Amino acid sequence: MVAKDDPDFALKSLQEEFEKNKTFEADDEQMLRFYEQMLLIRRFEERAGQLYGLGLIGGFCHLYIGQEAVAIGLQSALDNDRDSVITGYRDHGHMLAYGIDPKVIMAELTGRQAGISKGKGGSMHMFSTEHKFYGGHGIVGAQVPLGAGLAFAHKYNEDGGMTLAYFGDGAANQGQVYEAFNMAALWNLPICFVVEDNQYAMGTATKRSSAETRFYRRGTSFRIPGMEVDGMNVLEVRQAAEVAFKHVREGNGPVLMECNTYRYRGHSMSDPAKYRTREEVQDQKDHHDPIERIKKALIEQGKSEDELKDIDKGIRSRVSEAADFAENSPEPEGKELYTDVLVEEY
């Protein structure tokens, strides 16, 4: 006997809802806030790149420059008191988007005791249960099933929260991702899976590595509705979040969102990015930059160039303070090697 399909199931329903209105109607205060938050990430990451070049940041360092609209658009729609966020190793921007102090993030990058993970996580493994930010994971795709676990906890505890689980196009072919999709759909978990498709993974174009390059379709076989979003437009990302998060919070199970974005720097600080042309990168900066796009909108609303320059100046000052704080903070004591190894209390 062949099972009949569920007539109430409409995989394209969220995309169709999103297509009705793809621009979030932000007020003046929200617009300015989006601009400030994205600019903070940009200036912070630029300074992190400088500190890496000076040898003050060790190990790997993956910058978020160019992708700012994704984190700000999505996380501005979260409830910071209830919701959880988990991501991969390009995590500085996500922490800043969550409102975490730039000083403790920069201190973590430079391996200082004052860092948010006591200087032991570094760039790739930041973590804060206080802020419900669960990493920062160095294993490609590992955060996705962990995100499903966080969503299970929200459902089990009936706390009304949901999970936002980021992964990249490079992780999209990992088997554990699809196991997590299946479980999340089967158990109707409150989670939004977000593919940050920055086109090149570690250094291979998606069309060379993936048979299906439109990742929002990947949830089809698990009955997870997908959404395709311009990840270089913060107002579009925020509107997508409004649609997706409403669906999740109403108990309808997971959503798979693909945010098409672009990183201006290499995969990590050690990547010269020779797999793409300078002209391609410059075209993205000239025509699709998320910060310049909202800056233009602010000017059209009546903000002056001088006002926006003052905001930039203030953010540069904050970032400099964070860098000075990090450089002047002590490194962890030797005994710190033996803490946080085992869970000592349950």
Side-chain angles (χ1 to χ4, degrees), residues 266-321:
H267 171 68
S268 68
M269 286 296 296
S270 60
D271 173 20
K274 292 182 179 179
Y275 40 81
R276 60 186 184 182
T277 65
R278 291 181 180 178
E279 289 76 17
E280 177 184 310
V281 178
Q282 193 59 49
D283 178 69
Q284 289 287 336
K285 292 179 178 179
D286 291 344
H287 300 106
H288 303 284
D289 186 82
I291 296 175
E292 289 300 317
R293 178 176 282 174
I294 200 165
K295 180 179 178 181
K296 181 181 178 182
L298 285 167
I299 291 172
E300 289 173 353
Q301 289 179 357
K303 291 291 180 183
S304 69
E305 287 276 5
D306 288 340
E307 286 179 284
L308 299 181
K309 284 181 180 178
D310 286 341
I311 290 172
D312 192 2
K313 184 178 179 181
I315 288 172
R316 287 178 186 272
S317 178
R318 283 185 67 192
V319 170
S320 291
E321 288 177 10

Short mmCIF file of all heavy atoms in Angstrom, two decimals, residues 266-321:
data_model
loop_
_atom_site.label_atom_id
_atom_site.label_comp_id
_atom_site.label_asym_id
_atom_site.label_seq_id
_atom_site.Cartn_x
_atom_site.Cartn_y
_atom_site.Cartn_z
N GLY A 266 39.79 36.15 3.00
CA GLY A 266 39.90 34.72 2.76
C GLY A 266 39.18 33.93 3.82
O GLY A 266 38.64 34.48 4.78
N HIS A 267 39.18 32.61 3.66
CA HIS A 267 38.52 31.74 4.63
C HIS A 267 39.03 32.02 6.04
O HIS A 267 38.26 32.16 6.98
CB HIS A 267 38.76 30.28 4.26
CG HIS A 267 38.30 29.32 5.30
ND1 HIS A 267 36.97 29.12 5.59
CD2 HIS A 267 39.00 28.50 6.15
CE1 HIS A 267 36.86 28.22 6.57
NE2 HIS A 267 38.07 27.83 6.92
N SER A 268 40.33 32.10 6.18
CA SER A 268 40.95 32.50 7.44
C SER A 268 42.06 33.49 7.11
O SER A 268 42.32 33.80 5.95
CB SER A 268 41.53 31.28 8.17
OG SER A 268 42.63 30.74 7.46
N MET A 269 42.73 33.99 8.13
CA MET A 269 43.78 34.98 7.92
C MET A 269 44.96 34.41 7.12
O MET A 269 45.74 35.16 6.54
CB MET A 269 44.26 35.53 9.25
CG MET A 269 43.28 36.49 9.92
SD MET A 269 43.02 37.99 8.95
CE MET A 269 44.66 38.72 8.99
N SER A 270 45.08 33.09 7.08
CA SER A 270 46.19 32.47 6.35
C SER A 270 45.83 32.14 4.90
O SER A 270 46.64 31.57 4.17
CB SER A 270 46.63 31.18 7.07
OG SER A 270 45.55 30.27 7.14
N ASP A 271 44.62 32.51 4.49
CA ASP A 271 44.13 32.17 3.14
C ASP A 271 44.30 33.36 2.19
O ASP A 271 43.65 34.39 2.37
CB ASP A 271 42.66 31.78 3.24
CG ASP A 271 42.01 31.56 1.87
OD1 ASP A 271 42.74 31.36 0.89
OD2 ASP A 271 40.76 31.61 1.82
N PRO A 272 45.13 33.24 1.15
CA PRO A 272 45.30 34.34 0.19
C PRO A 272 44.15 34.48 -0.79
O PRO A 272 44.11 35.45 -1.57
CB PRO A 272 46.59 33.96 -0.54
CG PRO A 272 46.64 32.47 -0.47
CD PRO A 272 46.04 32.11 0.86
N ALA A 273 43.21 33.54 -0.79
CA ALA A 273 41.99 33.61 -1.62
C ALA A 273 42.29 33.75 -3.11
O ALA A 273 41.65 34.55 -3.81
CB ALA A 273 41.08 34.74 -1.13
N LYS A 274 43.20 32.97 -3.61
CA LYS A 274 43.57 33.04 -5.03
C LYS A 274 42.56 32.35 -5.94
O LYS A 274 42.72 32.36 -7.16
CB LYS A 274 44.96 32.43 -5.22
CG LYS A 274 46.07 33.26 -4.58
CD LYS A 274 47.44 32.65 -4.84
CE LYS A 274 48.54 33.51 -4.22
NZ LYS A 274 49.88 32.93 -4.44
N TYR A 275 41.55 31.75 -5.37
CA TYR A 275 40.52 31.04 -6.14
C TYR A 275 39.46 31.99 -6.70
O TYR A 275 38.51 31.55 -7.32
CB TYR A 275 39.87 29.97 -5.27
CG TYR A 275 39.61 30.43 -3.85
CD1 TYR A 275 38.50 31.20 -3.52
CD2 TYR A 275 40.51 30.11 -2.83
CE1 TYR A 275 38.29 31.64 -2.24
CE2 TYR A 275 40.31 30.54 -1.53
CZ TYR A 275 39.19 31.30 -1.24
OH TYR A 275 38.98 31.74 0.04
N ARG A 276 39.59 33.29 -6.43
CA ARG A 276 38.66 34.28 -6.98
C ARG A 276 39.45 35.52 -7.38
O ARG A 276 40.56 35.74 -6.92
CB ARG A 276 37.58 34.62 -5.96
CG ARG A 276 38.13 35.20 -4.66
CD ARG A 276 37.06 35.39 -3.62
NE ARG A 276 37.60 36.04 -2.42
CZ ARG A 276 36.89 36.29 -1.33
NH1 ARG A 276 35.62 35.95 -1.27
NH2 ARG A 276 37.44 36.88 -0.28
N THR A 277 38.86 36.34 -8.22
CA THR A 277 39.57 37.51 -8.73
C THR A 277 39.35 38.72 -7.82
O THR A 277 38.35 38.80 -7.11
CB THR A 277 39.09 37.88 -10.14
OG1 THR A 277 37.71 38.27 -10.09
CG2 THR A 277 39.24 36.69 -11.10
N ARG A 278 40.28 39.64 -7.88
CA ARG A 278 40.12 40.88 -7.13
C ARG A 278 38.92 41.66 -7.64
O ARG A 278 38.23 42.34 -6.88
CB ARG A 278 41.39 41.73 -7.27
CG ARG A 278 42.61 41.14 -6.55
CD ARG A 278 43.81 42.05 -6.72
NE ARG A 278 45.00 41.51 -6.04
CZ ARG A 278 46.19 42.09 -6.06
NH1 ARG A 278 46.36 43.23 -6.73
NH2 ARG A 278 47.20 41.54 -5.42
N GLU A 279 38.69 41.56 -8.94
CA GLU A 279 37.56 42.27 -9.55
C GLU A 279 36.23 41.78 -8.99
O GLU A 279 35.30 42.57 -8.77
CB GLU A 279 37.59 42.10 -11.07
CG GLU A 279 38.72 42.84 -11.79
CD GLU A 279 40.07 42.14 -11.63
OE1 GLU A 279 40.09 40.94 -11.26
OE2 GLU A 279 41.10 42.80 -11.87
N GLU A 280 36.13 40.48 -8.76
CA GLU A 280 34.90 39.92 -8.20
C GLU A 280 34.65 40.47 -6.80
O GLU A 280 33.52 40.87 -6.48
CB GLU A 280 35.00 38.39 -8.15
CG GLU A 280 33.79 37.73 -7.52
CD GLU A 280 33.94 36.22 -7.40
OE1 GLU A 280 34.29 35.58 -8.41
OE2 GLU A 280 33.73 35.69 -6.29
N VAL A 281 35.69 40.47 -5.99
CA VAL A 281 35.56 40.98 -4.62
C VAL A 281 35.19 42.46 -4.63
O VAL A 281 34.31 42.91 -3.88
CB VAL A 281 36.85 40.76 -3.82
CG1 VAL A 281 36.71 41.33 -2.41
CG2 VAL A 281 37.20 39.27 -3.75
N GLN A 282 35.85 43.22 -5.49
CA GLN A 282 35.59 44.66 -5.56
C GLN A 282 34.17 44.94 -6.02
O GLN A 282 33.53 45.89 -5.54
CB GLN A 282 36.60 45.33 -6.50
CG GLN A 282 36.60 46.85 -6.40
CD GLN A 282 36.94 47.35 -4.99
OE1 GLN A 282 37.92 46.90 -4.39
NE2 GLN A 282 36.14 48.26 -4.47
N ASP A 283 33.66 44.11 -6.93
CA ASP A 283 32.28 44.28 -7.40
C ASP A 283 31.30 44.09 -6.25
O ASP A 283 30.31 44.83 -6.14
CB ASP A 283 31.98 43.27 -8.52
CG ASP A 283 30.55 43.38 -9.01
OD1 ASP A 283 30.21 44.39 -9.65
OD2 ASP A 283 29.75 42.45 -8.74
N GLN A 284 31.57 43.12 -5.39
CA GLN A 284 30.71 42.91 -4.23
C GLN A 284 30.75 44.13 -3.30
O GLN A 284 29.72 44.58 -2.81
CB GLN A 284 31.16 41.65 -3.46
CG GLN A 284 30.86 40.35 -4.17
CD GLN A 284 29.40 39.98 -4.15
OE1 GLN A 284 28.64 40.42 -3.27
NE2 GLN A 284 28.98 39.16 -5.10
N LYS A 285 31.94 44.65 -3.07
CA LYS A 285 32.08 45.82 -2.20
C LYS A 285 31.38 47.04 -2.79
O LYS A 285 30.74 47.82 -2.07
CB LYS A 285 33.56 46.14 -1.98
CG LYS A 285 34.31 45.10 -1.17
CD LYS A 285 35.78 45.47 -1.03
CE LYS A 285 36.54 44.47 -0.18
NZ LYS A 285 37.98 44.81 -0.05
N ASP A 286 31.50 47.21 -4.09
CA ASP A 286 30.95 48.40 -4.75
C ASP A 286 29.43 48.36 -4.89
O ASP A 286 28.78 49.40 -4.84
CB ASP A 286 31.56 48.56 -6.15
CG ASP A 286 33.03 48.94 -6.11
OD1 ASP A 286 33.51 49.38 -5.04
OD2 ASP A 286 33.72 48.77 -7.14
N HIS A 287 28.86 47.17 -5.06
CA HIS A 287 27.45 47.09 -5.41
C HIS A 287 26.57 46.35 -4.41
O HIS A 287 25.34 46.40 -4.52
CB HIS A 287 27.29 46.43 -6.79
CG HIS A 287 27.97 47.17 -7.89
ND1 HIS A 287 29.14 46.74 -8.48
CD2 HIS A 287 27.67 48.35 -8.50
CE1 HIS A 287 29.52 47.60 -9.41
NE2 HIS A 287 28.65 48.59 -9.44
N HIS A 288 27.17 45.64 -3.46
CA HIS A 288 26.35 44.82 -2.56
C HIS A 288 26.70 44.97 -1.08
O HIS A 288 26.15 44.24 -0.26
CB HIS A 288 26.48 43.34 -2.95
CG HIS A 288 26.11 43.06 -4.38
ND1 HIS A 288 24.81 43.02 -4.82
CD2 HIS A 288 26.89 42.82 -5.47
CE1 HIS A 288 24.79 42.76 -6.12
NE2 HIS A 288 26.04 42.63 -6.52
N ASP A 289 27.57 45.89 -0.75
CA ASP A 289 28.02 45.99 0.65
C ASP A 289 26.83 46.29 1.57
O ASP A 289 26.09 47.26 1.36
CB ASP A 289 29.07 47.10 0.79
CG ASP A 289 29.65 47.11 2.19
OD1 ASP A 289 30.56 46.31 2.46
OD2 ASP A 289 29.18 47.91 3.03
N PRO A 290 26.64 45.48 2.61
CA PRO A 290 25.46 45.66 3.48
C PRO A 290 25.47 46.95 4.29
O PRO A 290 24.42 47.53 4.55
CB PRO A 290 25.53 44.43 4.40
CG PRO A 290 26.96 44.01 4.40
CD PRO A 290 27.47 44.32 3.03
N ILE A 291 26.66 47.41 4.65
CA ILE A 291 26.75 48.64 5.46
C ILE A 291 26.51 49.86 4.59
O ILE A 291 25.78 50.79 4.97
CB ILE A 291 28.12 48.71 6.17
CG1 ILE A 291 28.24 47.55 7.16
CG2 ILE A 291 28.28 50.05 6.89
CD1 ILE A 291 29.59 47.43 7.83
N GLU A 292 27.10 49.87 3.41
CA GLU A 292 26.88 51.00 2.50
C GLU A 292 25.42 51.09 2.07
O GLU A 292 24.88 52.18 1.88
CB GLU A 292 27.79 50.86 1.27
CG GLU A 292 29.25 51.11 1.55
CD GLU A 292 29.51 52.51 2.10
OE1 GLU A 292 28.93 53.48 1.57
OE2 GLU A 292 30.29 52.64 3.07
N ARG A 293 24.77 49.94 1.97
CA ARG A 293 23.36 49.92 1.55
C ARG A 293 22.48 50.61 2.59
O ARG A 293 21.63 51.45 2.26
CB ARG A 293 22.92 48.47 1.35
CG ARG A 293 21.46 48.32 0.96
CD ARG A 293 21.14 46.86 0.68
NE ARG A 293 21.60 46.45 -0.64
CZ ARG A 293 21.55 45.19 -1.08
NH1 ARG A 293 21.06 44.24 -0.31
NH2 ARG A 293 21.97 44.90 -2.29
N ILE A 294 22.70 50.28 3.87
CA ILE A 294 21.86 50.91 4.90
C ILE A 294 22.30 52.34 5.17
O ILE A 294 21.50 53.20 5.53
CB ILE A 294 21.86 50.05 6.19
CG1 ILE A 294 20.62 50.43 7.03
CG2 ILE A 294 23.14 50.21 6.98
CD1 ILE A 294 20.31 49.45 8.12
N LYS A 295 23.57 52.63 4.94
CA LYS A 295 24.05 54.01 5.07
C LYS A 295 23.35 54.90 4.05
O LYS A 295 22.91 56.02 4.37
CB LYS A 295 25.57 54.05 4.85
CG LYS A 295 26.17 55.44 4.96
CD LYS A 295 27.67 55.40 4.73
CE LYS A 295 28.28 56.80 4.79
NZ LYS A 295 29.76 56.76 4.55
N LYS A 296 23.21 54.41 2.84
CA LYS A 296 22.51 55.16 1.79
C LYS A 296 21.06 55.41 2.19
O LYS A 296 20.52 56.52 2.00
CB LYS A 296 22.57 54.38 0.48
CG LYS A 296 21.89 55.08 -0.69
CD LYS A 296 21.98 54.25 -1.95
CE LYS A 296 21.24 54.93 -3.12
NZ LYS A 296 21.29 54.10 -4.36
N ALA A 297 20.42 54.38 2.77
CA ALA A 297 19.02 54.52 3.19
C ALA A 297 18.89 55.55 4.31
O ALA A 297 17.94 56.34 4.33
CB ALA A 297 18.49 53.17 3.65
N LEU A 298 19.85 55.58 5.22
CA LEU A 298 19.83 56.55 6.32
C LEU A 298 19.98 57.97 5.81
O LEU A 298 19.31 58.90 6.29
CB LEU A 298 20.94 56.23 7.33
CG LEU A 298 20.70 55.03 8.24
CD1 LEU A 298 21.99 54.64 8.95
CD2 LEU A 298 19.60 55.35 9.27
N ILE A 299 20.84 58.16 4.83
CA ILE A 299 21.03 59.49 4.24
C ILE A 299 19.75 59.94 3.54
O ILE A 299 19.35 61.11 3.64
CB ILE A 299 22.23 59.48 3.27
CG1 ILE A 299 23.54 59.33 4.08
CG2 ILE A 299 22.28 60.76 2.44
CD1 ILE A 299 24.77 59.13 3.23
N GLU A 300 19.10 58.99 2.88
CA GLU A 300 17.84 59.31 2.21
C GLU A 300 16.76 59.69 3.21
O GLU A 300 15.84 60.46 2.90
CB GLU A 300 17.37 58.12 1.36
CG GLU A 300 18.23 57.88 0.12
CD GLU A 300 17.86 56.61 -0.62
OE1 GLU A 300 17.01 55.84 -0.08
OE2 GLU A 300 18.40 56.36 -1.71
N GLN A 301 16.87 59.17 4.44
CA GLN A 301 15.91 59.50 5.50
C GLN A 301 16.24 60.82 6.20
O GLN A 301 15.48 61.27 7.05
CB GLN A 301 15.87 58.37 6.54
CG GLN A 301 15.22 57.10 6.03
CD GLN A 301 15.22 55.99 7.08
OE1 GLN A 301 15.76 56.16 8.17
NE2 GLN A 301 14.61 54.87 6.77
N GLY A 302 17.37 61.41 5.85
CA GLY A 302 17.70 62.71 6.43
C GLY A 302 18.94 62.78 7.29
O GLY A 302 19.31 63.86 7.77
N LYS A 303 19.59 61.63 7.52
CA LYS A 303 20.84 61.65 8.28
C LYS A 303 21.94 62.29 7.43
O LYS A 303 22.01 62.07 6.22
CB LYS A 303 21.26 60.23 8.68
CG LYS A 303 20.36 59.58 9.71
CD LYS A 303 20.50 60.26 11.07
CE LYS A 303 19.60 59.60 12.11
NZ LYS A 303 19.67 60.29 13.42
N SER A 304 22.80 63.06 8.09
CA SER A 304 23.88 63.71 7.35
C SER A 304 25.13 62.84 7.35
O SER A 304 25.30 61.97 8.21
CB SER A 304 24.21 65.06 7.98
OG SER A 304 24.81 64.89 9.26
N GLU A 305 26.01 63.09 6.40
CA GLU A 305 27.28 62.38 6.33
C GLU A 305 28.08 62.59 7.62
O GLU A 305 28.73 61.68 8.12
CB GLU A 305 28.08 62.87 5.12
CG GLU A 305 27.56 62.40 3.77
CD GLU A 305 28.06 61.02 3.40
OE1 GLU A 305 28.74 60.39 4.23
OE2 GLU A 305 27.78 60.58 2.27
N ASP A 306 28.00 63.81 8.15
CA ASP A 306 28.76 64.12 9.37
C ASP A 306 28.26 63.31 10.56
O ASP A 306 29.06 62.84 11.38
CB ASP A 306 28.67 65.62 9.68
CG ASP A 306 29.49 66.46 8.71
OD1 ASP A 306 30.40 65.90 8.07
OD2 ASP A 306 29.22 67.68 8.61
N GLU A 307 26.94 63.15 10.66
CA GLU A 307 26.38 62.34 11.75
C GLU A 307 26.87 60.91 11.67
O GLU A 307 27.24 60.30 12.69
CB GLU A 307 24.85 62.36 11.68
CG GLU A 307 24.20 63.66 12.13
CD GLU A 307 22.69 63.60 12.00
OE1 GLU A 307 22.18 63.70 10.86
OE2 GLU A 307 22.01 63.43 13.04
N LEU A 308 26.88 60.36 10.48
CA LEU A 308 27.31 58.98 10.29
C LEU A 308 28.81 58.83 10.51
O LEU A 308 29.27 57.81 11.03
CB LEU A 308 26.90 58.48 8.91
CG LEU A 308 25.37 58.48 8.64
CD1 LEU A 308 25.07 57.94 7.25
CD2 LEU A 308 24.64 57.65 9.70
N LYS A 309 29.56 59.85 10.16
CA LYS A 309 31.01 59.83 10.41
C LYS A 309 31.29 59.85 11.92
O LYS A 309 32.22 59.20 12.39
CB LYS A 309 31.69 61.01 9.73
CG LYS A 309 31.85 60.86 8.22
CD LYS A 309 32.54 62.07 7.62
CE LYS A 309 32.70 61.90 6.11
NZ LYS A 309 33.32 63.10 5.48
N ASP A 310 30.47 60.60 12.65
CA ASP A 310 30.63 60.65 14.11
C ASP A 310 30.35 59.28 14.73
O ASP A 310 31.03 58.88 15.69
CB ASP A 310 29.69 61.70 14.71
CG ASP A 310 30.17 63.12 14.45
OD1 ASP A 310 31.37 63.29 14.14
OD2 ASP A 310 29.34 64.05 14.56
N ILE A 311 29.35 58.58 14.19
CA ILE A 311 29.04 57.23 14.67
C ILE A 311 30.23 56.30 14.41
O ILE A 311 30.66 55.54 15.29
CB ILE A 311 27.77 56.69 13.99
CG1 ILE A 311 26.54 57.44 14.48
CG2 ILE A 311 27.62 55.18 14.23
CD1 ILE A 311 25.26 57.11 13.74
N ASP A 312 30.78 56.40 13.23
CA ASP A 312 31.95 55.58 12.87
C ASP A 312 33.13 55.90 13.79
O ASP A 312 33.83 54.99 14.27
CB ASP A 312 32.33 55.83 11.40
CG ASP A 312 33.33 54.80 10.87
OD1 ASP A 312 33.71 53.88 11.62
OD2 ASP A 312 33.74 54.92 9.70
N LYS A 313 33.32 57.16 14.05
CA LYS A 313 34.41 57.58 14.93
C LYS A 313 34.24 56.99 16.33
O LYS A 313 35.20 56.51 16.94
CB LYS A 313 34.46 59.11 14.99
CG LYS A 313 35.63 59.66 15.80
CD LYS A 313 35.63 61.19 15.77
CE LYS A 313 36.78 61.75 16.60
NZ LYS A 313 36.78 63.24 16.59
N GLY A 314 33.01 57.03 16.83
CA GLY A 314 32.73 56.49 18.15
C GLY A 314 32.95 54.99 18.21
O GLY A 314 33.48 54.46 19.20
N ILE A 315 32.58 54.29 17.14
CA ILE A 315 32.77 52.83 17.10
C ILE A 315 34.24 52.48 17.01
O ILE A 315 34.72 51.55 17.68
CB ILE A 315 31.97 52.22 15.92
CG1 ILE A 315 30.48 52.26 16.25
CG2 ILE A 315 32.43 50.80 15.61
CD1 ILE A 315 29.57 51.88 15.12
N ARG A 316 34.99 53.24 16.23
CA ARG A 316 36.44 53.01 16.15
C ARG A 316 37.08 53.20 17.53
O ARG A 316 38.00 52.46 17.90
CB ARG A 316 37.07 53.97 15.14
CG ARG A 316 36.76 53.64 13.68
CD ARG A 316 37.39 54.67 12.76
NE ARG A 316 37.01 54.48 11.37
CZ ARG A 316 37.64 53.69 10.49
NH1 ARG A 316 38.71 53.00 10.91
NH2 ARG A 316 37.24 53.58 9.25
N SER A 317 36.57 54.15 18.27
CA SER A 317 37.09 54.39 19.62
C SER A 317 36.79 53.20 20.53
O SER A 317 37.65 52.77 21.31
CB SER A 317 36.47 55.67 20.19
OG SER A 317 36.93 55.90 21.51
N ARG A 318 35.57 52.66 20.44
CA ARG A 318 35.20 51.49 21.24
C ARG A 318 36.09 50.30 20.92
O ARG A 318 36.52 49.56 21.81
CB ARG A 318 33.74 51.10 20.97
CG ARG A 318 32.69 51.95 21.63
CD ARG A 318 31.32 51.38 21.37
NE ARG A 318 31.12 50.08 22.03
CZ ARG A 318 30.10 49.26 21.78
NH1 ARG A 318 29.19 49.60 20.86
NH2 ARG A 318 29.99 48.12 22.41
N VAL A 319 36.35 50.10 19.64
CA VAL A 319 37.19 48.98 19.20
C VAL A 319 38.63 49.16 19.69
O VAL A 319 39.28 48.20 20.13
CB VAL A 319 37.12 48.81 17.67
CG1 VAL A 319 38.16 47.80 17.19
CG2 VAL A 319 35.72 48.37 17.25
N SER A 320 39.11 50.40 19.63
CA SER A 320 40.47 50.68 20.13
C SER A 320 40.56 50.41 21.62
O SER A 320 41.56 49.86 22.11
CB SER A 320 40.85 52.14 19.83
OG SER A 320 41.02 52.35 18.44
N GLU A 321 39.52 50.78 22.36
CA GLU A 321 39.48 50.50 23.80
C GLU A 321 39.50 49.00 24.06
O GLU A 321 40.17 48.52 24.99
CB GLU A 321 38.22 51.12 24.42
CG GLU A 321 38.25 52.64 24.52
CD GLU A 321 36.95 53.20 25.06
OE1 GLU A 321 36.11 52.38 25.53
OE2 GLU A 321 36.76 54.42 25.02
#
